[in-house]
Amino acid sequence: PRHQERQRESPPPLSATADKVPPTTKLERHCLAALVRRPDLIYRANRRLQEIGLPHLGAEDFSQAALREILRVFQASLAQDAQESLDYMRTILPAALVEELDTLLRNEPLDDLWDERVLEDTLAGLLCLRRRNLQRWAEEVRFLQAEAMETGDLIAVEEQGSIVSRYTQELQRLQRALPYDKSAVRRQ
């Protein structure tokens, strides 16, 4: 019976462990809260990524499953016009994620989100998330490449080498764009 009770308990929401949250997850939470509050930010972020030659912002840019799902529903909310974005999200998301969304919005101090510096910092944060992910993805593929080398799978080694090369090129483009991003919006 006790074992069954434990299985029924759901894990605490991300917000319940906020003091133990790694800095990258804090950045993810900050950026997602900003996107939900200012939906036009996603268009600016995607335009910036497109200028750099990178794919648009996606759920894979977030490490936590709850944040990935909130972003997916947020993006879907922008593709419809029957409801306001936040109302749509609260209708579609499961109750636990609505609670997470509300906690996210309540805990992220973004009162001055109309300030261009705050907007620019949020955009830079989104680019930093992408950089972090590209670095992580490249490392994962390098690991797989090393395993393929050990087993003698030369086709996999070559395929994974081209993926690492693509990630490296994307990282270089992103690195060149980051200093530009910090000053570009402030000059507008």
Side-chain angles (χ1 to χ4, degrees):
R2 277 186 184 224
H3 179 66
Q4 289 175 341
E5 288 175 20
R6 285 186 192 153
Q7 286 181 335
R8 288 187 204 139
E9 293 175 10
S10 59
L14 291 174
S15 55
T17 57
D19 54 339
K20 301 173 190 168
V21 176
T24 54
T25 303
K26 287 180 182 179
L27 178 60
E28 289 180 6
R29 295 176 65 74
H30 172 79
C31 289
L32 186 55
L35 289 171
V36 171
R37 284 202 178 111
R38 286 278 315 266
D40 62 302
L41 272 178
I42 197 161
Y43 301 113
R44 290 175 75 170
N46 285 339
R47 189 170 42 249
R48 190 73 51 85
L49 288 166
Q50 187 173 353
E51 289 169 0
I52 300 167
L54 299 175
H56 287 177
L57 187 68
E60 66 278 356
D61 287 305
F62 293 83
S63 62
Q64 300 290 318
L67 300 181
R68 286 192 302 267
E69 186 58 24
I70 290 170
L71 180 71
R72 281 188 199 99
V73 172
F74 167 69
Q75 289 173 317
S77 78
L78 299 178
Q80 58 84 44
D81 58 4
Q83 293 178 287
E84 290 294 322
S85 179
L86 200 51
D87 294 334
Y88 176 87
M89 292 176 70
R90 286 190 172 112
T91 302
I92 300 298
L93 287 169
L97 290 181
V98 169
E99 184 179 322
E100 184 64 35
L101 173 66
D102 290 340
T103 302
L104 179 73
L105 294 173
R106 186 175 52 251
N107 290 345
E108 288 300 321
L110 297 168
D111 296 332
D112 54 351
L113 202 50
W114 295 97
D115 180 328
E116 279 300 311
R117 277 196 328 254
V118 175
L119 284 175
E120 181 54 32
D121 289 343
T122 301
L123 289 171
L126 290 165
L127 293 177
C128 286
L129 289 178
R130 176 62 60 87
R131 180 183 59 201
R132 176 207 62 191
N133 288 329
L134 284 169
Q135 290 168 336
R136 183 177 45 106
W137 297 335
E139 189 59 36
E140 288 172 2
V141 175
R142 281 187 197 104
F143 177 76
L144 293 172
Q145 188 179 29
E147 281 185 345
M149 287 176 104
E150 287 177 11
T151 62
D153 187 352
L154 299 179
I155 293 172
V157 170
E158 186 177 323
E159 289 172 353
Q160 291 157 348
S162 66
I163 293 170
V164 169
S165 177
R166 188 183 84 228
Y167 287 158
T168 302
Q169 290 169 358
E170 289 178 2
L171 268 168
Q172 290 169 347
R173 286 195 305 268
L174 192 53
Q175 284 298 114
R176 285 191 299 269
L178 279 171
Y180 162 79
D181 283 355
K182 295 223 178 218
S183 60
V185 172
R186 290 182 187 146
R187 284 186 266 139
Q188 292 178 353

